[in-house]
Every structure is written in structure tokens, then in C-alpha cells.
Amino acid sequence: MKLQRSGYLAGIALTATIALTGCGSDNEAPAASGSAAPGDCVAGSSLTAQGSTAQKNAMDEWIKAYQGQCAGSAVDYQGNGSGAGIEAFIAGTADFAGSDSALKEEEVAQADAKCPGGKALNLPMVIGPVAVVYNVQGVDGLQLSASTIAKIFAGTVKKWNDPAIAAENAGATLPDATIETVHRSDESGTTDNFTKYLSKSAEADWSFGNAKAWKAPGGTGAAKSDGVATKVKSTPNTISYVELSFAENSDLQKAKIKNGAGEFVELTGESAGKTFENATVKGTDGDLALELDYNTSTAGAYPIVLVTYEIACSKGSAKAKEIQSFLKYTSSTAGQTALAELGYAPLPETLRTKVEASVAAIS
Amino acid sequence: MGDYPSRSDNATAGDLGVTSRHAQGAGAGVYPSSNDEPPVGGGGALPKKARFSVETAFRALSTAAGAMVLVIIVAIAAFLVSKAVPALQKNNGNFLTETTWFPNDAEPVFGIAALAFGTVLSSLLALLISVPIALAIALFLSHYAPKRLATPLGFVIDLLAAVPSVVFGLWGRDYFQQPVRDFSIWLNEYFGWLPIFGGEGPFGQSIMLGALVLAIMVLPIVTSLSREVFQQTPGMNEEAALALGATRWEMIRTAVLPYGKPGVIAAVMLGLGRALGETIALALTLGITFDISFNLIQNGGNSIAANIANSFAEANATGRGALIASGLVLFAITLVVNMTARAIIYRRREFRDSAA
């Protein structure tokens, strides 16, 4: 108990230190002055937000650090799903929402109505890479292309020593065992992003489209990310997909994925961020909804990534200053690097500066 | 029906204690006359009825409580129907025959077939496994075990019923799965020609695992109730059987089992009710796939309650309605099971009483 608490405090202290060293140019005394944060604190601010569970861990980390810097401010983020978050934003019960996808056409008008004089912005904030994890005795550094992954999860490749897998893994000794594919039994943004990747980059082998529910036949369902991680960890010959943080926490083997440039890339925060370096922004006027290119030919880019957005008003929100202050911190270098340990990838600098500019324009 | 309330109480819930077995045996013999006894003993001393006495108040209270059950049941049904109908109207598939479950799509398609099948299959399989064992335990506790052993063993069995189902689920998923997988592979190798043990794998997270975990959960319920019922067997009947030269087993077969049959059926139905409604243990141990297959050992299987637990958090309005509609189907299945059980018990009881 005592140990836990001191560990917790140490964690806060550590993140605070990281956050502070991130903006060392200020040269101010820590916290006490109240303006040490990269964002300007708003006295007595209190924000409520909800939405995507994929960025819940990131939010928790940010809130802890932000509240440490801005004494007296309170931010509450509920991870109850992107859909619920957007609904709450439209209903006015959330000051901003977290979402796994940019606002849909039918949602845009409703969301804009909440922002008199402005509009609802999609601000990419958290990059969550999806790892393809597997558990096969004696096989390290498995290499897979999108089409092979699609075949495995669609059930057309059934054995680990199938020629399709062997062709991409010269020299590896693959067992003659049935592949057990594991997917999320609950609906999940991770499933949506993973199937989106398959449907975009392996159209010929993946006919199930993309959705939050798993649509391919067969396989085995496991509840939540930790259920999937436990299942793969404990069961030989399994393969599944899970956010990077869960893969690392459970110490699972991650497959190297072939990108548009033809390289097999290992998943790291950096390689995931590279995919976004050349992403097209399809939003205008500060809206940064992204058109993601899974077949990106950027060297060293890991293609299976999800980006989650914060949805906030550009103008007209009663709490504009408070929202701005918090998002200014999350989009700062300090805010982004604080996430690395949690298995998220920091926004690449080109994109981060755009987000920062959009946040600065909130009024 | 009104003549037997005390008896049916004993048959299902039962009085605890060692004396009840013999007391009941004697009581059952003179039962018809005992109805007349209370007025003879205390009638003259009863106080006059006051207008607002405790009697009236208690009567009103218990009537209200009785009515409340009906109100709650009707309210549940009305709520479920009102939420389910809009979702069902948006459904693009046939709710009864469709096996997929995609109610959150723009074009919702969902059906109960696979879920209802999995629910019934896993529950029946669980009963098939647990009932013989439970009855054997109950008979051992009531007729074979020395009293010094029977009492603590009974407590231990009851304790099993108090373990939260999520514990069973996690245990089944994390520890029990491997032995079941090994057993499944063995079954597949030697009995693979049977369709229920066929397939190419993967094995382990299957209907069999779910049913085995369920069986363990159902075991204490069936055991406890059956033990109580068996203990109520009239001592005279048992002694008569033994006096006629019956062995212990023949005595149980001729005296204990026929007497306990309605109670055992009630216990089994109660167990089935628990199995049908079990949620989290199945959500953790089944393979959660939407297909109809009698294969017991291949990964797969799903149930209505498990699907609700898995899907509710991320469901939209139609999705929630669809889940509620599935809940309604579960409600209907449970109702049918309970009514069947009641019907069996009533028929058996009349038969027994007229014979006695």
C-alpha cells in the first residue's frame, strides 16, 4: 500500500519533470509560479470531456501532468466510446470530445451548431499504432504483408507453414500448426482501424470492409484489449492485433509489417509517426481531419496506425480559454513525448505544429 | 393446491437440521388429520378482531408484495418490448433466423439464431455434465456420508455457490483452458469421426470449456437442493424398504429417488435458469463467434447474455434495442423453462399424493 502510493507520487513527479524539461527555455521555477506549463493556466478551470477509449490512457496521463502544473484546474475525461463522446458534445454535456474518427458528414452540422460563429474542429492528437502480435514457438521477427495478414484473418491461410507466410519469412522454421486468429469480441476502434488497413491495402484478399464489429467468419473472440493480449500470451499458435501499449505491457512478439516502400518495418513510436508525415489534411480552416495513406512509401513508416482526434469548437465555446489551455499542453512537445511510455506514438513534428496553430486560434 | 403449501416449501427450500428427516416422515403419515389440529388447541383464546389490527396490515403488506411481483414482471416485459420494437423494425435481416449480429451498422442486420442456439446448447451440456455428479454428491451427503463428514462437506458445496461468476470465468479462461485444449486434441484424434469432436482446430476456447465452467457453477445449486429433498424422504419408507431386504442402493432407488423426483426436477430447472442467464463466465470462456455448429471442441460458441455483456458498451440506439430484443428472447426461453418445470412438478405431485 505504502509502496504503491510512493510509486504513484514518483510517477507524478517524473511526468512533471519530463513535462517541465520539455520546455526548458522558460527557465522558471517549477509549478509554484503557476505559469510553468506550456499552456497558460486558467484559474479555476474545470473541463469535462468524454469519448474514445483508445486515447483514455493518454488523457489520464495528460490530465495528471496538466493538473500538476495548473493548480486548481480540473479536467475529467470519460472513456465511454467515440460515438458516445460525439453525442455528448452535440448535446452540450461535454466541453470537447475524443473520437477515433473525424466527424461524419451528418454529425458536422450538429456539432457546428454548438459553436456559434465558428465550427467544430477535428484535431489529431493521439497516434495509436496497432501491433500485429503472435505467439509461435521459435519464430522471432515474423514478417507479414497486408495481403498475407488479410488471408490469415479471413481464414484462407490456415497453417503457420503455409507458402504465403513462408515466402515472406525465408529461413524461419514455421510449425505445421493451425493458426488461431483472435479478434475483439466487443466493438472497438482498434478493430475498425485494423480492418480499415486491411480493406485499403489488401482489397483482393479482404472482402469484409471495415467496422468496429469483427465481420470475418471464424476466429476466436476475446473481450477488450487486455483479453486479447492475455489470450495471445497464453495460447500457442495465435495471432491477433492490439494497441502497442498492450503488446508491450504483455511482452508479446510483434510482427514486422510491409509498407508501401516494400520494407518490413518494426513497430516503434517513431516508425508509426512517419506514416503521418505525408498524410493529407482534408479539413480546412484549422480543421485537421486526415486522409491517411496506408500504402505510404515513406521510408521506415509502419502502416497500421490509428489516429484519434479531439473535437472542439474553433469559436463560440463558453470555455474556449480553458479548452485552449489544456489542448495547448497536449499538443506541445512535452505533452506528446509524455505519451511515449504508454505505447502511443508522438505526432510527427510537421503535423504537431499544424495542430498547435489550430489550437492557438481557438477563441 | 391450497392443502400443500407447507409440503412444497419443504420440497424446495426445506428445513435444515437432522431431525427434519424423521419428523417429516412421521408428519407425512398423519398429514391429512393434522390440518384440523390448530383450531382445537388455541381457538378459544384468540383475541377479537380489531379494525386496524396487525392482521390487516400484514395481509395488505403481503398482498402488495405479491402484486409487486406481477407488476415488476409486466413492467420488465413492457420496457423490453418498447425498446426492442424500434430496433427490430430497422433490422434488415430476419431476427429469428439470421446468425450475424451487426446492429450498429448503417444498414443493421442482426438475428438471434446463433446466440439462442449457443445459449441452449451450452446450458443443456452443462446440465448433462453437472446433474449426475450433483445427484451423486447429494445422495452421498444425505445417505452415505457419516454425519460428521456430511455437514462440513455440505457447507463447502454451498460455499461454491458463493464464488462470483467472474472468478469462474477468469479461472476458466486463464487456467482451465489448457487442460481442456489438451483433452479436446485427444478427443479430436481418437473420436474425430464424430461430428461433435471433429474439425481441424484451433481447440480450447469452445462450447465445451464454457459448458464445463457452467457445470461447476450449476453444481452447488443442484446439489444443495437435491440434498435437502433427499433428506426429507420419510424415514418409514426407507425403513420399510430395508426391512423388505433391499440393499442400500435398492432402498435409494425405490424409496428416496421416487420421493425426491419433483424436488430434483425443480433443482435442475433452477440450475438451468442460472446456466441460461450466466453472463460473464461465458463471455470470458466461449470463443464468441456467430455460427451454429454442434462441434463442441473447436473454438467458438456464444450466448445471448455473453453477447449483451460484450456489445452493450459500444452499441448505438439500434444496437441497444437489438440487445434488448435478444434479452427478450432469453426472457421467453427462461419463462418456457420455468413453466415446464412447474407443469412437471404439479403433475408429479398429484400423482404421488393420490398414490400415498
Side-chain angles (χ1 to χ4, degrees):
Chain A
M1 186 70 201
K2 207 167 188 180
L3 198 74
Q4 265 182 350
R5 183 170 298 169
S6 63
Y8 179 68
L9 286 173
I12 294 180
L14 189 70
T15 41
T17 324
I18 291 170
L20 287 169
T21 46
C23 59
S25 62
D26 283 352
N27 264 346
E28 286 197 8
S33 67
S35 60
D40 310 309
C41 294
V42 178
S45 76
S46 105
L47 289 172
T48 50
Q50 45 180 288
S52 164
T53 44
Q55 53 169 286
K56 169 77 175 142
N57 289 345
M59 274 292 169
D60 286 349
E61 182 71 22
W62 279 335
I63 289 169
K64 212 161 63 179
Y66 179 75
Q67 290 178 346
Q69 293 159 9
C70 293
S73 58
V75 185
D76 176 53
Y77 184 87
Q78 280 179 35
N80 51 0
S82 304
I86 291 170
E87 268 177 41
F89 180 76
I90 289 170
T93 51
D95 298 318
F96 67 92
S99 173
D100 292 345
S101 49
L103 289 169
K104 296 190 189 80
E105 273 174 47
E106 66 267 25
E107 293 164 344
V108 168
Q110 290 173 291
D112 284 352
K114 283 282 145 194
C115 313
K119 64 173 190 169
L121 300 176
N122 298 295
L123 302 169
M125 201 62 81
V126 182
I127 294 179
V130 179
V132 174
V133 292
Y134 65 97
N135 178 351
V136 184
Q137 203 83 49
V139 179
D140 289 330
L142 187 72
Q143 311 195 69
L144 295 171
S145 66
S147 118
T148 311
I149 297 173
K151 282 179 192 156
I152 290 173
F153 280 93
T156 43
V157 166
K158 290 187 192 313
K159 295 271 185 188
W160 276 110
N161 58 358
D162 190 281
I165 303 177
E168 284 162 8
N169 293 278
T173 41
L174 296 158
D176 177 25
T178 308
I179 301 177
E180 181 171 351
T181 61
V182 181
H183 58 260
R184 289 282 291 268
S185 61
D186 51 333
E187 296 204 1
S188 155
T190 314
T191 305
D192 193 20
N193 281 283
F194 180 65
T195 50
K196 199 183 278 174
Y197 164 74
L198 292 180
S199 63
K200 291 268 168 65
S201 40
E203 282 167 81
D205 301 301
W206 186 256
S207 54
F208 306 100
N210 68 291
K212 291 169 81 178
W214 183 257
K215 299 230 162 166
T220 306
K224 307 276 175 198
S225 297
D226 59 334
V228 170
T230 314
K231 171 78 182 163
V232 173
K233 184 81 187 166
S234 66
T235 317
N237 302 321
T238 46
I239 184 165
S240 189
Y241 57 92
V242 72
E243 290 108 318
L244 177 60
S245 54
F246 287 94
E248 288 190 336
N249 288 344
S250 303
D251 203 16
L252 298 170
Q253 295 252 39
K254 304 190 290 282
K256 292 179 183 168
I257 308 297
K258 193 177 187 179
N259 66 12
E263 324 164 282
F264 290 96
V265 181
E266 195 175 349
L267 170 52
T268 61
E270 198 193 355
S271 64
K274 279 192 177 154
T275 304
F276 288 93
E277 259 169 24
N278 299 325
T280 325
V281 175
K282 55 179 180 184
T284 50
D285 302 334
D287 181 16
L288 294 173
L290 297 175
E291 184 88 69
L292 188 54
D293 179 17
Y294 288 114
N295 282 322
T296 177
S297 51
T298 312
Y302 178 89
I304 318 176
V305 283
L306 72 93
V307 60
T308 71
Y309 298 89
E310 309 309 329
I311 292 166
C313 284
S314 63
K315 277 190 175 59
S317 170
K319 292 186 175 174
K321 276 272 169 287
E322 293 158 63
I323 295 170
Q324 187 181 34
S325 158
F326 180 66
L327 295 184
K328 205 166 173 179
Y329 165 65
T330 63
S331 60
S332 67
T333 321
Q336 288 294 320
T337 45
L339 297 185
E341 298 233 331
L342 298 173
Y344 295 100
L347 292 171
E349 198 56 26
T350 45
L351 185 58
R352 195 190 66 76
T353 45
K354 286 182 198 164
V355 177
E356 217 166 31
S358 288
V359 170
I362 291 179
S363 59
Chain B
M1 186 178 150
D3 289 341
Y4 309 117
S6 64
R7 236 178 175 190
S8 68
D9 281 350
N10 282 336
T12 51
D15 293 332
L16 277 169
V18 277
T19 54
S20 65
R21 182 167 150 197
H22 294 287
Q24 185 66 19
V30 294
Y31 198 73
S33 68
S34 68
N35 277 347
D36 302 322
E37 280 172 14
V40 176
L46 283 175
K48 276 192 178 165
K49 194 185 173 215
R51 191 176 290 181
F52 294 110
S53 64
V54 178
E55 287 294 326
T56 347
F58 186 73
R59 186 195 171 88
L61 197 70
S62 57
T63 312
M68 184 103 81
V69 175
L70 288 179
V71 171
I72 291 174
I73 291 281
V74 170
I76 290 174
F79 171 80
L80 292 180
V81 169
S82 72
K83 293 279 174 186
V85 166
L88 290 177
Q89 281 167 345
K90 284 187 193 148
N91 190 2
N92 291 323
N94 185 326
F95 182 65
L96 294 178
T97 57
E98 183 70 45
T99 57
T100 54
W101 192 266
F102 303 124
N104 298 321
D105 290 3
E107 297 279 310
V109 178
F110 56 92
I112 197 75
L115 295 173
F117 174 82
T119 307
V120 173
L121 180 64
S122 58
S123 302
L124 289 182
L125 203 62
L127 284 188
L128 206 67
I129 299 164
S130 68
V131 166
I133 300 174
L135 292 187
I137 297 175
L139 279 177
F140 174 74
L141 291 180
S142 66
H143 285 84
Y144 284 93
K147 197 126 286 165
R148 212 185 298 167
L149 187 64
T151 318
L153 256 182
F155 273 125
V156 171
I157 295 280
D158 289 346
L159 216 60
L160 205 57
V163 177
S165 54
V166 65
V167 173
F168 280 112
L170 289 172
W171 169 79
R173 187 189 75 176
D174 295 344
Y175 297 101
F176 196 40
Q177 197 176 134
Q178 190 56 46
V180 169
R181 181 178 301 120
D182 296 340
F183 181 55
S184 300
I185 291 168
W186 181 83
L187 278 176
N188 182 254
E189 195 173 337
Y190 294 100
F191 299 95
W193 45 272
L194 275 172
I196 55 170
F197 298 135
E200 292 187 343
F203 305 114
Q205 205 167 353
S206 53
I207 285 273
M208 173 131 90
L209 176 64
L212 282 170
V213 171
L214 262 190
I216 297 170
M217 298 174 68
V218 166
L219 195 70
I221 297 178
V222 181
T223 306
S224 280
L225 294 179
S226 311
R227 186 194 53 186
E228 296 298 336
V229 174
F230 291 149
Q231 281 179 344
Q232 316 266 328
T233 314
M236 273 158 54
N237 292 13
E238 292 177 9
E239 281 156 22
L242 291 172
L244 287 171
T247 62
R248 182 74 69 94
W249 161 240
E250 284 165 343
M251 179 272 282
I252 286 173
R253 218 182 48 194
T254 54
V256 179
L257 290 182
Y259 179 85
K261 207 177 234 170
V264 168
I265 292 171
V268 170
M269 289 301 159
L270 215 60
L272 182 57
R274 165 134 205 216
L276 286 172
E278 180 46 46
T279 306
I280 200 70
L282 286 181
L284 289 168
T285 51
L286 290 182
I288 314 294
T289 53
F290 292 85
D291 47 14
I292 294 180
S293 159
F294 277 101
N295 191 314
L296 302 182
I297 57 171
Q298 251 181 323
N299 281 7
N302 209 340
S303 87
I304 294 177
N307 183 51
I308 293 176
N310 276 328
S311 318
F312 202 86
E314 289 280 334
N316 61 17
T318 312
R320 281 194 291 270
L323 290 173
I324 285 169
S326 75
L328 204 60
V329 173
L330 185 60
F331 190 67
I333 295 177
T334 316
L335 207 67
V336 168
V337 165
N338 273 326
M339 280 161 66
T340 317
R342 283 293 157 112
I344 293 173
I345 292 167
Y346 280 132
R347 212 170 48 200
R348 289 286 171 182
R349 181 192 287 158
E350 276 156 27
F351 169 73
R352 193 193 68 210
D353 286 337
S354 61

